[in-house]
Amino acid sequence: MLDLDSMLAVQLHDLVVSFDDQIVLDHLDLDVPAGKLFGLVGASGAGKSVLLRAILGLIPRREGRIEIFGLDRVAASAEELRELERHWGVLYQQGALFSSLTVLQNIEFPMREYLDLSPSTMREIAMTKLEMVGLAPEDGDKFPAALSGGMTKRAALARALALDPHIVFLDEPTSGLDPIAAQEFDALIRTLHQTLGFTVFMITHDLESLRTLCDEIAALADGKIAAVGTLQTMLASQHPWVRAYFAGERGRSLLSPVHAI
Amino acid sequence: MKPEALIEFRKNAEELEIVGSGAWTAANAGRLDALIGAESRHDRSRVKVDMSGVREFDTYGAWFLERLLRDTEEIESQPAFGLPDRFRGLFEKVHETNRRRPSKRKGGKGLIGGLEGVGRSVEGAANETLRYLDVVGAVVIDCIDVILVRRRPRLASFTHQLDRVGVKSVPIIVLLTLLIGAIIAQQAVFYFRRFGAEDYVVDLVGVLVLRELGVLIVAILVAGRCGSSYTAELGSMKMNEEIDALRTMGRGPIEVLVLPRVAALVFALPLLTFIGSIAALYGGGAVAWLYAGMEPGFFIARLREAVSISDFAVGMIKSPFMALVIGIIACAEGLKVKGSAESLGAQTTASVVKSIFSVIVMDGVFAIFFSSIGM
Ligand SMILES: Nc1ncnc2c1ncn2[C@@H]1O[C@H](COP(=O)(O)OP(=O)(O)OP(=O)(O)O)[C@@H](O)[C@H]1O
Ligand SMILES: [Mg+2]
C-alpha cells in the first residue's frame, strides 16, 4: 500500500539482480529514510545504476523485495503504480531528455500526463522550473541536442522535479559539471529539498556533495551495502573499499574540513 | 468527501481579500488554476493576501501565489502574506523566475512570409543537391585512393556488408520474384488464351522480367531493406557522436562507413538481380506448366527464341547504377540526421522514398537510352 508519510522512502530486502551469469547485486539490504538526502557511493561498475534501475522497476530482480513508500511494484495495482510514478522523479545518468521535444516541452511532459492545467499555466510553471535549475529562459526553446552537458543535467533535473515529487532519484547529478556549477547544483538540491521536503536518493562520486549535502551515505561494494551511516561512520569504517575511497589521497584532502570543525 | 477550499476571494467596499488555505500543491494544481482563472479581475486597486491558512505548499502553489500578486498593483498585507516560514524560501525562489520573456523569434506573415518560405525551400533544395554531390565526390575520391593503393581498402567491413545486403537478402528476393514471375505468367496465360496465343506468354515473361521487372523489383526491395538500415545506422552513429569520434581519429566517415556500404551494394545488386530474374523465370515457367500445361522443355526452347542476350544485358547494366544511387542516398540521408530521434525517423523515411523514386526515374531514363541505341 502506498503511504507517502511512511518513515522509510525505500526499503530493499534480500535483493538479487543478475545478468546472465554475472550477479550484480547479491542479497542486498538497504533502508532509505524519508525526508533525508541519501547518498550512494560505489566503484564504477559496482552496480549503482543497476540498483537504481531495479528500484525503478526497469530491470527485473531475481529475488528479494523492493518497497517504495511501502509499495512493492510486484504486488501493486495499476492505479497504485500510477500514483507512485506521479510522486517520484528521476534524473538519469545521461539525462534521457526526449530528443524531439524542446527543453520546455520536456518539462511540461509529465505535467501534461498527470495534471489538468491550462497550457499557459503549464508554460509558466515549466519556465519557473527551468529558471529554478539555473537555465536561462532562452534555453527553453532549445532541443536537447543543442545543450551542453551541464545544461542537459539541469534540464533533466527540471523535468525530474516537474511534478514536485516526494522522492527524487539522481544518478550522478553533478558529474560533468564544473566545480562552481556542481556547488550551485548541490545548493539547489538542498534548497529544494528543504522547502519541498522530498527524499533524495543520489548516486554520486562527488566527495564534495557527500560532505556538504548528504545526511546519510551508503557504500556499495561486491554487490552488497558495505557500510551505511553518516560521513563520520564512513570515515571510521573498516571495509577495505570504503577505507580506500574516503581515506585515499583525494578523500582526505577534500574531507579534511570536516575534521577541522 | 467535499474537496477542501483552496482559495477564497472576499470583496469588501474598497478592497479585495484573497485568502488561501489547504494544500497548494501539484495535486490541486488543476483546481487552483481553474479557481484563479475564473475569478474576474476587475477591481484590483487594493488587494490583501492572506496565506496563513496554507498547510502544504510546493512550486505549483508558489507560482499561483506569485501570479496572483503579479496581477495586482497595490498590496497591503502582513509580511510575506502570512505565509508560514517554512515555505518562504521556496516562494522567494519562485518569485525571481519568469521575469524575463525569452525574445520571440519573428516569423514573417502574409506575402512576405510566403516568399520567405519559398526562398527557404529553394535554398534547402540547393543545399541538398550540394550535399549529395559532396558525398558522391568524396566516395569517388576515396574509391580512386583505394584503387591506386594509396589507402587500405576496408575489406572486413566490405565483406560484412556484402553478407548483410547480399547473402541475407537472397531468400526474400527469391521468394518475391518467384511470386511475381508466377503472377505475370498467370495473367498472361489468362488473356492470351482468348487469342490462342498462349505461346507468347513466354515472350512476355522473358522480356519483361529480364529487361525491366527483375532489376526494378530487386532494387526497390533492396532500397527498403538495406537503404533504410544504412540510413538508420549512420544516423544513430551521428547522434552518438561516433562520426565525430571517427573524424577526430583522422578517418572520414566516407572512407570507413560509406564506401564499404556503397561498394557492397554495387557489388551485390547485379548478383541479386540475376538471382531474382532467374527466380521470376522459374515462377513463370512453373505457372505456365501447371496452369497452361506448357511443357518445361517447350518453355525453355521458346525462351531461347524470345529473348536475346541484349535483353539480359539491359537489366544487368542498369543494376549497379541503381545500387550506387540507393547507397549514396541512404548514406547521405544518414549523415544528415540531427540530434533528435524524430529526425532519424524522418531521414530514414526520406531515404527510402527518395531511393525508390530515383530508381524508377532512372529506369525510365535507361529505357529511353537503350531504345535509342537499339538495344
Ligand atoms: N543491461 C545490462 N546487461 C548486462 N550487464 C549489465 C547491464 N547493465 C549493467 N550491467 C553490468 O552491471 C554492472 C554494474 O553496472 P552499473 O551501470 O550499475 O555501474 P555503476 O555502478 O552505475 O557505474 P558508474 O559509476 O560507472 O555509472 C557492470 O558490470 C555492467 O557491465
Ligand atoms: Mg552508473
Side-chain angles (χ1 to χ4, degrees):
Chain A
M1 202 197 71
L2 187 67
D3 172 19
L4 293 171
D5 301 322
S6 147
M7 294 297 291
L8 289 176
V10 180
Q11 251 182 306
L12 308 176
H13 183 67
D14 216 18
L15 181 66
V16 180
V17 174
S18 58
F19 297 105
D20 302 326
D21 50 353
Q22 180 195 9
I23 295 182
V24 180
L25 303 178
D26 183 13
H27 299 281
L28 176 143
D29 291 289
L30 179 67
D31 286 341
V32 178
K36 290 274 169 61
L37 276 156
F38 191 89
L40 180 70
V41 294
S44 251
K48 303 180 297 296
S49 300
V50 167
L51 177 62
L52 177 62
R53 292 167 65 79
I55 294 175
L56 297 174
L58 296 173
I59 44 179
R61 59 190 116 156
R62 216 170 68 186
E63 281 171 43
R65 211 176 61 229
I66 300 174
E67 284 179 11
I68 305 164
F69 290 116
L71 186 76
D72 192 340
R73 290 184 68 96
V74 174
S77 67
E79 291 96 77
E80 280 177 320
L81 275 183
R82 203 175 146 76
E83 186 64 15
L84 173 65
E85 280 155 13
R86 184 185 166 321
H87 287 294
W88 76 27
V90 188
L91 169 62
Y92 293 92
Q93 197 165 2
Q94 315 292 343
L97 292 168
F98 302 122
S99 59
S100 52
L101 302 180
T102 64
V103 171
L104 274 178
Q105 286 168 340
N106 261 288
I107 305 173
E108 285 171 11
F109 185 84
M111 302 182 197
R112 195 161 287 144
E113 293 301 305
Y114 287 101
L115 304 178
D116 177 28
L117 291 178
S118 67
S120 64
T121 307
M122 206 140 60
R123 186 42 57 113
E124 285 160 0
I125 290 178
M127 192 58 98
T128 295
K129 303 267 177 195
L130 185 81
E131 289 181 41
M132 280 171 82
V133 298
L135 289 170
E138 293 80 26
D139 298 332
D141 290 327
K142 288 186 182 157
F143 282 93
L147 299 181
S148 76
M151 287 158 81
T152 306
K153 283 265 149 77
R154 284 165 189 264
L157 180 69
R159 189 182 66 181
L161 296 177
L163 295 175
D164 279 29
H166 276 71
I167 181 166
V168 282
F169 297 95
L170 311 173
D171 196 348
E172 302 194 17
T174 54
S175 70
L177 299 187
D178 66 82
I180 300 172
Q183 221 168 21
E184 281 174 8
F185 207 93
D186 285 346
L188 171 68
I189 291 173
R190 198 183 14 237
T191 313
L192 293 170
H193 165 75
Q194 276 164 1
T195 45
L196 301 174
F198 54 60
T199 312
V200 177
F201 181 91
M202 179 164 80
I203 295 174
T204 185
H205 287 304
D206 192 341
L207 286 162
E208 189 62 25
S209 321
L210 287 175
R211 183 170 71 81
T212 57
L213 205 55
C214 294
D215 302 320
E216 212 173 311
I217 301 169
L220 181 66
D222 309 322
K224 289 189 168 61
I225 298 297
V228 59
T230 61
L231 190 59
Q232 307 303 336
T233 324
M234 290 290 131
L235 291 170
S237 167
Q238 291 305 314
H239 189 280
W241 186 83
V242 180
R243 274 178 64 91
Y245 189 84
F246 287 96
E249 200 65 54
R250 285 168 58 105
R252 259 204 312 275
S253 60
L254 268 166
L255 296 173
S256 51
V258 174
H259 296 300
I261 295 167
Chain B
M1 199 182 78
K2 190 171 159 287
E4 60 183 346
L6 294 170
I7 186 166
E8 205 181 328
F9 296 89
R10 289 183 199 143
K11 285 194 195 77
N12 301 345
E14 74 272 15
E15 70 172 20
L16 176 68
E17 194 180 3
I18 301 174
V19 182
S21 60
W24 281 45
T25 57
N28 288 327
R31 273 180 61 215
L32 269 171
D33 194 21
L35 285 171
I36 293 172
E39 175 63 17
S40 61
R41 308 225 176 107
H42 41 268
D43 183 24
R44 282 301 182 85
S45 52
R46 291 177 70 78
V47 172
K48 200 169 148 193
V49 180
D50 178 10
M51 295 293 287
S52 52
V54 170
R55 190 161 43 75
E56 284 176 55
F57 197 64
D58 65 8
T59 338
Y60 286 81
W63 172 249
F64 286 124
L65 174 60
E66 174 65 20
R67 201 170 64 183
L68 270 176
L69 296 176
R70 266 187 213 181
D71 293 338
T72 62
E73 282 147 31
E74 199 179 318
I75 302 152
E76 186 210 301
S77 61
Q78 59 269 62
F81 331 106
L83 195 65
D85 285 344
R86 59 184 194 282
F87 302 141
R88 288 214 187 136
L90 174 66
F91 178 65
E92 273 154 28
K93 265 224 151 352
V94 170
H95 180 65
E96 288 155 21
T97 62
N98 262 321
R99 295 265 159 204
R100 214 151 38 92
R101 289 271 130 213
S103 47
K104 276 270 175 297
R105 238 177 286 121
K106 271 181 283 173
K109 277 191 229 105
L111 185 62
I112 303 293
L115 284 178
E116 188 187 328
V118 171
R120 279 192 198 287
S121 50
V122 169
E123 192 193 349
N127 281 341
E128 186 164 315
T129 315
L130 281 180
R131 198 172 300 129
Y132 277 120
L133 289 178
D134 204 31
V135 176
V136 173
V139 167
V140 170
I141 288 171
D142 282 354
C143 221
I144 292 172
D145 275 0
V146 169
I147 291 168
L148 296 182
V149 211
R150 264 188 274 173
R151 207 174 283 188
R152 196 167 51 83
R154 310 214 151 243
L155 282 180
S157 171
F158 172 74
T159 46
H160 173 68
Q161 296 299 337
L162 198 59
D163 178 51
R164 277 184 52 201
V165 304
V167 180
K168 302 234 162 82
S169 300
V170 168
I172 183 73
I173 282 179
V174 167
L175 181 66
L176 279 175
T177 46
L178 196 76
L179 284 175
I180 284 172
I183 293 165
I184 294 171
Q186 190 272 335
Q187 289 292 306
V189 169
F190 184 74
Y191 285 99
F192 286 1
R193 191 178 267 164
R194 297 185 195 168
F195 312 107
E198 281 174 38
D199 293 359
Y200 285 97
V201 169
V202 187
D203 299 53
L204 179 79
V205 172
V207 172
L208 200 56
V209 163
L210 289 181
R211 283 187 82 103
E212 299 291 337
L213 272 188
V215 61
L216 211 52
I217 300 285
V218 170
I220 288 172
L221 263 175
V222 165
R225 190 182 175 279
C226 309
S228 58
S229 75
Y230 281 6
T231 309
E233 280 165 21
L234 293 187
S236 68
M237 292 181 81
K238 178 101 187 287
M239 283 166 69
N240 257 336
E241 301 182 326
E242 288 173 50
I243 300 223
D244 298 338
L246 267 179
R247 281 219 173 89
T248 50
M249 291 177 205
R251 288 277 167 267
I254 303 287
E255 175 199 345
V256 179
L257 302 171
V258 176
L259 192 56
R261 284 179 165 76
V262 173
L265 213 52
V266 170
F267 197 77
L269 200 66
L271 297 177
L272 290 173
T273 303
F274 177 75
I275 294 171
S277 303
I278 300 301
L281 291 181
Y282 266 99
V287 166
W289 186 21
L290 300 174
Y291 183 67
M294 193 183 285
E295 289 295 325
F298 177 78
F299 186 91
I300 292 170
R302 175 86 200 177
L303 195 62
R304 259 197 210 122
E305 284 169 37
V307 301
S308 62
I309 193 72
S310 78
D311 290 323
F312 175 70
V314 163
M316 295 304 286
I317 288 170
K318 284 192 278 197
S319 61
F321 292 97
M322 291 186 173
L324 195 63
V325 167
I326 295 170
I328 298 275
I329 289 179
C331 294
E333 292 293 327
L335 293 176
K336 248 165 55 181
V337 168
K338 300 203 189 56
S340 75
E342 197 179 345
S343 97
L344 179 62
Q347 243 54 61
T348 310
T349 308
S351 154
V352 174
V353 171
K354 281 181 191 166
S355 41
I356 291 178
F357 176 79
S358 317
V359 159
I360 291 173
V361 169
M362 263 178 80
D363 194 57
V365 173
F366 268 116
I368 298 170
F369 170 73
F370 284 127
S371 61
S372 66
I373 63 166
M375 257 177 102

